[in-house]
Amino acid sequence: MIVTLTPNPSLDRTIELSSPLERGEVQRAVAAHGEPGGKGVNICRALEASGISSLAILPGDADDPVLLALTSHGIPHLGLPIGAPLRSNVAITEPDGTTTKLNEPGPVLSLAQQDALIDLVLKQSVGASWLVLAGSVPPGVPDDFYARIMRELRARLGSHAPKVAVDSSGGPLAAAALARPDLLKPNGEELAELSGLFDGDTLEANPDLVVDAARVLIAGGVGAVLATLGAKGAVLVTAEGSWLATTPPITAVSTVGAGASALAGYLLRSTAGASAPACLRQAAAHGAAAASLPGSTVPALHQTNPGDVTVTDLVPVLAARPVLATHPKEDDQ
């Protein structure tokens, strides 16, 4: 069982355009899609589509459109009633795959509601293999919310606590990194901010440098860093090694949910006991598949092509050592 927490879920609406977005003009959409969203929700959607048991935890009343959509999609979930509507987000996709997102702030959670949400997460984490803390935090929630959950989880469950993965940004991600999660999933810009090395554009253009930036976090106690780099692929760094995964070029349709899908692919293989390179291979395959699908559609395992992914050993550039070897596809076994 994989449990996810999405403290700021949304109803995600994606609008597809047939031509580039023109600010201030009237344009007709060629298609529109609506899905329950938020990173943790999307991870559960991808896991369930691949036959992996999961549970999405989120604030929201039973009759909220987000929870009703989860029910209609057959996604196991638990909602904490808050007496306020959840937010709606809009993503606009252009023919070349460029995605513009407009995200609402979400409802304010009181201190009592925050405590109740944490208690719900701790109770449902008993027996889970992973707990995923994902997405932004809503108004009224402090940046150390995820860090607090990790501290209380370990205090309550001790050695029986599940592994913890964090996929967020800004202050919540920075605070969570200090709490030593087992897995952190930043993009290039987020990794640059966390490590203090380089900048997002430099990291996304030079995957070799990602190793140096990620090693800063590993030295601080983070178990592993899965950095997603868009078209450049993904890099996984652990204390034992560093690897780059690249995929053949794809026609990007929508990048909404691609990062969450990549994390779902990693978790899917991790729960099966696969090696680090094999987990990375599936993460890259899931991310690429998601980017090639419309709206916030997430791929099932059979829609991914891990055999097309190339995984290569990397070493820190600052150590002035060469790239080593390419992993055979047998790593997926």
Side-chain angles (χ1 to χ4, degrees):
M1 167 73 77
I2 295 174
V3 176
T4 73
L5 170 64
T6 307
N8 203 14
S10 59
L11 190 64
D12 286 350
R13 185 168 177 79
T14 303
I15 299 173
E16 296 182 33
L17 301 179
S18 60
S19 59
L21 176 66
E22 298 179 21
R23 294 182 60 193
E25 300 296 328
V26 176
Q27 290 180 259
R28 295 188 181 277
V30 295
H33 313 270
E35 299 283 354
K39 289 185 177 181
V41 167
N42 288 337
I43 289 168
C44 282
R45 289 171 54 212
L47 291 173
E48 290 291 328
S50 299
I52 302 299
S53 178
S54 69
L55 176 67
I57 297 176
L58 64 161
D61 300 340
D63 60 352
D64 190 276
V66 175
L67 276 77
L68 292 176
L70 286 171
T71 299
S72 68
H73 283 69
I75 305 301
H77 63 279
L78 281 177
L80 176 74
I82 57 174
L86 297 174
R87 62 180 179 155
S88 295
N89 294 338
V90 176
I92 302 171
T93 62
E94 302 175 49
D96 65 353
T98 299
T99 302
T100 302
K101 298 188 68 177
L102 305 173
N103 292 348
E104 294 182 4
V108 174
L109 294 187
S110 68
L111 291 178
Q113 289 169 338
Q114 294 173 40
D115 291 343
L117 191 59
I118 291 175
D119 188 60
L120 183 60
V121 169
L122 299 186
K123 288 179 179 177
Q124 296 300 321
S125 294
V126 176
S129 57
W130 281 91
L131 168 63
V132 184
L133 307 174
S136 63
V137 297
V141 175
D143 283 350
D144 69 347
F145 186 65
Y146 289 153
R148 176 187 168 191
I149 291 175
M150 281 187 272
R151 291 193 298 268
E152 296 193 18
L153 179 75
R154 291 161 181 164
R156 182 179 297 191
L157 300 184
S159 62
H160 298 291
K163 294 181 180 179
V164 179
V166 181
D167 182 3
S168 187
S169 61
L173 180 63
L178 296 176
R180 301 187 175 188
D182 297 281
L183 177 66
L184 211 61
K185 197 218 74 63
N187 59 26
E189 181 179 353
E190 293 158 353
L191 179 57
E193 291 177 356
L194 286 172
S195 67
L197 291 179
F198 315 110
D199 57 63
D201 290 339
T202 298
L203 290 181
E204 293 203 2
N206 300 276
D208 294 337
L209 298 178
V210 172
V211 181
D212 291 292
R215 278 165 59 97
V216 173
L217 306 182
I218 299 297
V222 174
V225 176
L226 172 63
T228 50
L229 307 174
K232 290 290 186 178
V235 171
L236 177 64
V237 181
T238 71
E240 289 73 38
S242 310
W243 304 269
L244 167 68
T246 56
T247 64
I250 65 166
T251 300
V253 177
S254 171
T255 60
V256 178
S261 292
L263 180 50
Y266 179 97
L267 296 174
L268 188 154
R269 285 301 189 199
S270 175
T271 57
S275 66
C279 292
L280 175 62
R281 189 187 305 279
Q282 190 60 55
H286 255 75
S292 66
L293 296 172
S296 56
T297 306
V298 295
L301 182 60
H302 72 271
Q303 294 175 295
T304 69
N305 297 297
D308 293 340
V309 178
T310 299
V311 176
T312 305
D313 283 10
L314 295 177
V315 295
V317 169
L318 298 183
R321 297 187 312 201
V323 170
L324 300 180
T326 297
H327 281 255
K329 294 178 177 58
E330 285 73 19
D331 277 328
D332 279 83
Q333 302 302 317

